[in-house]
Amino acid sequence: MAVTELPTAGMLPGGPGEGVQVVIAGEELPTQEMTLSIGPQHPSTHGVLRVVLTLDGERIDTATPVIGYMHRAFDKLSEARDYRQIIALSNRHDWLSAFGNELGVALATERLMGIEAPERAQWIRMLMAEWNRVLNHLMFLGSFGLELGAMTPMFYAFREREDIQTLMEMATGARMHFTYCRVGGLKEDLPKGFLQYSEVLVKRIRHRLLDYEGLLLGNEIFKKRTVGIGVLPGEVAKSYGVTGPILHASGVAEDSRKTEPYLKYSEVDFEVPVGEHGDSFDRFNVLYHRIEQSLRIIEQVHAKLPAGPIMPGKMPKYLKPPEGWTYVRTENSLGETGYYLVSRGDTKPWRLKMRTPSFHNVSMIPYLLKGVLLPDLIAVLGSVFFVVGDVDR
Amino acid sequence: MTPDEIAAHLTEATGAAERSDVAHGEVSVWVPNDKWVEVATHLRDCGRCHFDLPTFLTAVDLEEQGFEVVLHMYSVRRQHHVNVKTQLARDEPRLPTLSGVWNGLNWCERETWELFGIDFTGHPNQVKLLLPVEFEGFPLRKDFLLMTREAKEWPGLKEPAEVEH
Amino acid sequence: MGLTDKVNFPQPAKFILNWGRKYSLWVMNFGLACCAIELIAASTSRHDFIRLGVIPVAHGPRQADMLVVAGTLTDKMAPALKRVYEQIPEPKYVISFGSCSNCGGPFWDSYSVTKGVDQIVPVDVYVPGCPPRPEALLEGILLLQDRIGKESLKEHYQRREAEEPEPAFTSTVPIVVGGGSISDTSIRDE
């Protein structure tokens, strides 16, 4: 409500039991727009995103995200690196679910070279990708609660994440940037005890997910702050190139694991949770249910994992994909991550473009934040899932 | 539609496709610069194509042959992809903007402009997106060298077997 | 700063003053990239640096004693780091967390990355790793605490004066930066 819309004389609610008498002189009070710059450093887990707002009172007129504070030039650096080195560099972009990025690079190179990874490698890759999805979504479950003022979900999320990171460390040796994927397969086979611990963790996390449901999803305050806020219609989302959980929450069930299954996704059974209204609550809800579906896939991988080698028998000493181009997309945790690879027969790519979901998710922020009240800005921005490394590459 | 059908459909519907190629199950269609917006609008409006999700728009530096701008589109309803490409001359690369056709290409074009120097005429806000304002040069062109690598050769450049001891 | 930069305190008083300072280091989280996640993991229940007195809930640089720069620093972001660093009141310490902030890390040949945070701010402790384990951060904090326990504030201030007599950002100096001015709010989209 602009200042001009206030009643010219009357009582506004003041403190308990009191009112404030307002008399406004003149018909129209001139107001000025205020420019507020949020970021790039702020005490939330968003990372270095800067949003420049113009405010009319408390209502946002325009919102301009300013990105580039984490631009580390992946495209140029990958032209100077061998394909094996690019895998190690690519996982530093969506750093919450690093394996998904590595997978895309390996799949793109394999497609150009005509190599197919062995069965066991594909199942294990799927297992790792799904555990990474759980890692990523847990982080956002925690941080969204933190931004709305609830500290406990953050600690719960990190408790779960620590367990999963211990699991990943057993197999890959790293807590965050795994570098486990190789062109043709994997670095090494799973260690003894991995699958048992993985099964234990699935049960544990499934049990602990109920905590989040109790704390947040049924919470009156949470619902009041997120239902109906930041509505994104499906058509608008598609035209911005938004993919992943945000698109699903807007009602469009586009998931490359279902439409163009890669790895072994056609042999496992899972659902794609879809929201109705496209508001912040739906986005959070979709994220919550995706974790459950990922745990379902992991259980099926446990049951169906075959024995066998994890690298094809004869790999060339130097990886030199023949001349050509290809685009490979995977359904990463935040949306569609794709690699457009142009090769000229060298050990280094001629051009490697990384298509990231967060770039497009952030590009629709000007649309989403128009007309939103400033306190709701937090609820909306927190529900747009992005990782700044993914936005800027 | 299968990749070959898409190529055939675009050739006859717009009359603008110079050539097409199907590789690894994906189709690329090359169009001339002046038909760029026309083809894009057709892709969006045609009922058989129905391309509604812009995947990416970028460029490739093909040294002597200039630049090649690549637009990749995906259709959620029909579940098919297409790559639309066009060639640009090296000295003054210019192309009309597609930000009016799909919103998501606004930022993609800004990024391509600042990294390659390709001017998208009619773009509502062609300013730097990722790079600092005072950055000079177009980094992703092949003649822009990474100075840290030029200054000193990286010790890991050779495979261990190749290093002479 | 009163007496602390002119007088060398005698040992018992110095011990107690340093003891008070080293076990109540409030940290300003400058988490930029992936290392920020390990920084947050170091503050949550399993690794918990709050038991060392380091509390991450500084409501802004003015209440902080220590700055932990975690993640890749790009040329566009460098002025923001400088500005936040200068807003922290003395005595202040900087921990550079992760190899990107130590020396540029895996992005050593990039055209947009600052190769090392010590080009912008003076660093006290470097924690190597990509990303370092949270335990490494705990060790870094312990090393810093040892150092604070032994230091004399007079020398600390003298060293600071020698390094940088005047801050780069004062209210009268216009902010001309190589990163798209932090105060430039004339940016509009569409």
Side-chain angles (χ1 to χ4, degrees):
Chain A
M1 181 160 87
V3 175
T4 47
E5 290 167 24
L6 283 173
T8 44
M11 294 291 281
L12 283 180
E18 314 174 308
V20 171
Q21 181 83 10
V22 171
V23 175
I24 299 183
E27 280 283 298
E28 249 188 49
L29 211 59
T31 56
Q32 211 180 16
E33 273 184 357
M34 182 179 119
T35 312
L36 181 67
S37 173
I38 299 181
Q41 197 274 341
H42 39 84
S44 70
T45 51
H46 284 148
V48 285
L49 175 78
R50 179 177 169 211
V51 187
V52 178
L53 308 167
T54 50
L55 299 168
D56 172 24
E58 284 234 336
R59 205 165 275 282
I60 298 176
D61 245 355
T62 60
T64 311
V66 179
I67 63 175
Y69 292 98
M70 192 44 60
H71 179 62
R72 297 177 286 195
F74 173 73
D75 292 354
K76 186 77 180 178
L77 294 184
S78 59
E79 289 174 17
R81 280 164 171 69
D82 194 300
Y83 286 97
R84 298 161 295 177
Q85 295 169 320
I86 294 175
I87 291 183
L89 199 64
S90 64
N91 56 20
R92 277 137 174 101
H93 293 93
D94 180 0
W95 49 70
L96 297 173
S97 52
F99 189 82
N101 304 25
E102 296 169 21
L103 185 62
V105 178
L107 286 177
T109 320
E110 283 168 16
R111 191 190 276 193
L112 268 188
M113 290 179 75
I115 303 176
E116 202 179 312
E119 291 279 314
R120 186 175 167 87
Q122 293 197 26
W123 282 95
I124 297 179
R125 276 179 174 178
M126 199 161 77
L127 177 73
M128 291 298 182
E130 289 306 314
W131 271 125
N132 272 257
R133 198 182 306 271
V134 176
L135 266 179
N136 181 305
H137 289 337
L138 277 173
M139 177 72 180
F140 283 110
L141 283 189
S143 72
F144 194 27
L146 185 69
E147 296 192 6
L148 295 180
M151 274 188 81
T152 317
M154 193 65 174
F155 287 95
Y156 282 179
F158 270 87
R159 176 187 62 184
E160 264 70 275
R161 275 180 57 99
E162 287 284 337
D163 283 337
I164 303 176
Q165 278 179 317
T166 314
L167 176 74
M168 301 298 288
E169 201 185 352
M170 282 172 75
T172 67
R175 283 167 52 103
M176 190 181 283
H177 298 312
F178 308 117
T179 326
Y180 189 51
C181 210
R182 293 284 185 272
V183 174
L186 296 167
K187 172 178 144 201
E188 55 189 15
D189 209 335
L190 298 174
K192 219 168 166 181
F194 182 91
L195 288 172
Q196 283 91 314
Y197 189 43
S198 181
E199 282 173 28
V200 164
L201 267 191
V202 167
K203 290 198 191 65
R204 198 188 286 178
I205 292 180
R206 199 175 259 149
H207 177 71
R208 285 184 177 162
L209 266 187
L210 302 172
D211 282 342
Y212 296 92
E213 194 171 351
L215 268 180
L216 290 173
L217 282 179
N219 192 328
E220 270 296 312
I221 302 176
F222 186 79
K223 278 196 179 147
K224 263 216 141 76
R225 284 196 72 172
T226 52
V227 172
I229 308 287
V231 175
L232 183 68
E235 288 300 316
V236 174
K238 278 194 290 185
S239 80
Y240 273 102
V242 171
T243 49
I246 301 183
L247 189 65
H248 298 168
S250 298
V252 181
E254 167 59 37
D255 189 329
S256 16
R257 297 177 291 171
K258 287 281 194 195
T259 55
E260 294 173 357
Y262 54 100
L263 295 180
K264 294 288 174 191
Y265 281 109
S266 47
E267 294 179 31
V268 287
D269 204 19
F270 65 100
E271 281 168 21
V272 175
V274 174
E276 270 178 48
H277 308 284
D279 55 15
S280 298
F281 183 77
D282 269 347
R283 290 192 273 269
F284 187 81
N285 209 7
V286 157
L287 213 64
Y288 176 81
H289 288 290
R290 272 164 76 102
I291 299 183
E292 175 54 46
Q293 296 301 318
S294 288
L295 292 175
R296 215 170 127 189
I297 298 179
I298 293 171
E299 278 184 325
Q300 292 174 58
V301 174
H302 288 158
K304 295 184 182 171
L305 187 64
I310 47 146
M311 278 292 262
K314 252 196 143 0
M315 280 293 287
K317 189 164 170 221
Y318 297 105
L319 292 171
K320 285 193 182 172
E323 247 190 81
W325 51 267
T326 184
Y327 176 69
V328 166
R329 68 170 183 156
T330 56
E331 179 77 13
N332 214 4
S333 332
L334 296 170
E336 174 188 324
T337 305
Y339 288 88
Y340 179 68
L341 176 59
V342 177
S343 160
R344 280 200 177 176
D346 197 16
T347 50
K348 309 189 178 74
W350 184 255
R351 172 93 172 99
L352 178 63
K353 154 104 186 146
M354 187 178 180
R355 189 267 184 203
T356 50
S358 310
F359 185 71
H360 293 264
N361 293 355
V362 168
S363 76
M364 62 102 179
I365 282 182
Y367 173 85
L368 203 60
L369 285 183
K370 231 187 198 45
V372 168
L373 285 175
L374 192 59
D376 290 332
L377 166 79
I378 317 283
V380 172
L381 260 189
S383 73
V384 176
F385 308 120
F386 64 89
V387 169
V388 194
D390 236 14
V391 177
D392 297 333
R393 282 154 283 133
Chain B
M1 292 199 278
T2 67
D4 292 299
E5 285 174 6
I6 297 177
H9 169 84
L10 276 179
T11 318
E12 59 172 89
T14 59
E18 292 171 341
R19 60 187 165 104
S20 65
D21 184 31
V22 178
H24 306 286
E26 306 159 41
V27 60
S28 277
V29 180
W30 279 261
V31 300
N33 300 1
D34 42 2
K35 296 282 178 64
W36 186 241
V37 181
E38 189 190 313
V39 171
T41 323
H42 173 89
L43 289 174
R44 183 189 61 178
D45 297 331
C46 164
R48 282 185 69 194
C49 300
H50 207 94
F51 285 105
D52 44 10
L53 204 122
T55 306
F56 65 83
L57 186 146
T58 188
V60 183
D61 186 341
L62 298 172
E63 286 180 329
E64 301 86 28
Q65 295 149 353
F67 295 108
E68 185 179 75
V69 174
V70 182
L71 164 71
H72 186 112
M73 291 297 304
Y74 177 68
S75 167
V76 173
R77 189 190 288 181
R78 306 262 180 241
Q79 292 175 4
H80 53 207
H81 300 255
V82 72
N83 289 289
V84 187
K85 303 186 182 177
T86 183
Q87 298 274 129
L88 295 174
R90 197 161 180 101
D91 34 355
E92 274 203 30
R94 195 169 292 133
L95 202 60
T97 185
L98 289 182
S99 44
V101 185
W102 293 284
N103 298 342
L105 295 179
N106 189 318
W107 273 24
C108 292
E109 288 179 350
R110 265 171 85 177
E111 186 195 336
T112 314
W113 169 74
E114 73 176 343
L115 292 176
F116 281 94
I118 296 174
D119 183 24
F120 288 94
T121 52
H123 194 278
N125 188 24
Q126 194 165 258
V127 295
K128 285 198 193 294
L129 185 69
L130 294 171
L131 297 171
V133 167
E134 295 180 4
F135 194 94
E136 282 169 15
F138 298 114
L140 247 60
R141 289 193 177 185
K142 288 292 174 181
D143 42 17
F144 186 99
L145 301 169
L146 290 173
M147 294 320 292
T148 328
R149 280 196 184 243
E150 298 297 316
K152 183 178 171 190
E153 190 184 292
W154 182 55
L157 211 55
K158 297 200 178 101
E159 300 275 336
E162 290 170 356
V163 173
E164 294 137 14
H165 290 287
Chain C
M1 288 166 301
L3 291 175
T4 45
D5 57 335
K6 297 186 185 54
V7 169
N8 244 331
F9 279 99
Q11 196 44 27
K14 182 170 154 188
F15 176 79
I16 291 177
L17 289 172
N18 283 350
W19 177 85
R21 278 191 308 120
K22 76 179 178 181
Y23 285 129
S24 64
L25 286 167
W26 279 29
V27 65
M28 177 75 201
N29 271 357
F30 210 81
L32 296 163
C34 357
C35 283
I37 309 297
E38 290 293 69
L39 182 61
I40 299 173
S43 71
T44 53
S45 353
R46 184 172 288 194
H47 304 282
D48 191 22
F49 58 40
I50 300 186
R51 58 189 154 137
L52 300 173
V54 176
I55 302 187
V57 206
H59 298 280
R62 301 285 184 194
Q63 276 108 21
D65 295 302
M66 177 168 85
L67 181 69
V68 175
V69 187
T72 321
L73 185 72
T74 56
D75 291 336
K76 197 168 178 180
M77 187 68 189
L81 172 64
K82 185 83 182 144
R83 203 168 190 191
V84 167
Y85 173 74
E86 281 169 3
Q87 286 179 342
I88 301 179
E90 287 282 0
K92 57 190 170 190
Y93 306 93
V94 176
I95 293 185
S96 161
F97 186 67
S99 67
C100 283
S101 49
N102 289 349
C103 62
F107 303 97
W108 60 278
D109 51 348
S110 168
Y111 52 77
S112 62
V113 166
T114 310
K115 323 276 187 297
V117 138
D118 46 10
Q119 295 185 24
I120 314 280
V121 297
V123 174
D124 292 297
V125 177
Y126 294 87
V127 182
C130 191
R133 292 189 65 98
E135 288 92 330
L137 180 64
L138 295 177
E139 184 182 351
I141 293 174
L142 288 175
L143 285 175
L144 182 65
Q145 286 177 340
D146 275 343
R147 203 184 200 193
I148 296 175
K150 299 191 194 101
E151 83 173 338
S152 122
L153 269 185
K154 180 173 168 202
E155 282 164 33
H156 177 99
Y157 285 125
Q158 280 172 350
R159 199 164 31 102
R160 281 278 188 261
E161 279 296 304
E163 278 164 9
E164 217 184 292
E166 228 182 75
F169 292 103
T170 60
S171 55
T172 53
V173 174
I175 299 174
V176 177
V177 297
S181 171
I182 293 297
S183 67
D184 179 9
T185 49
S186 62
I187 304 165
R188 294 281 185 275
D189 202 12
E190 285 144 324

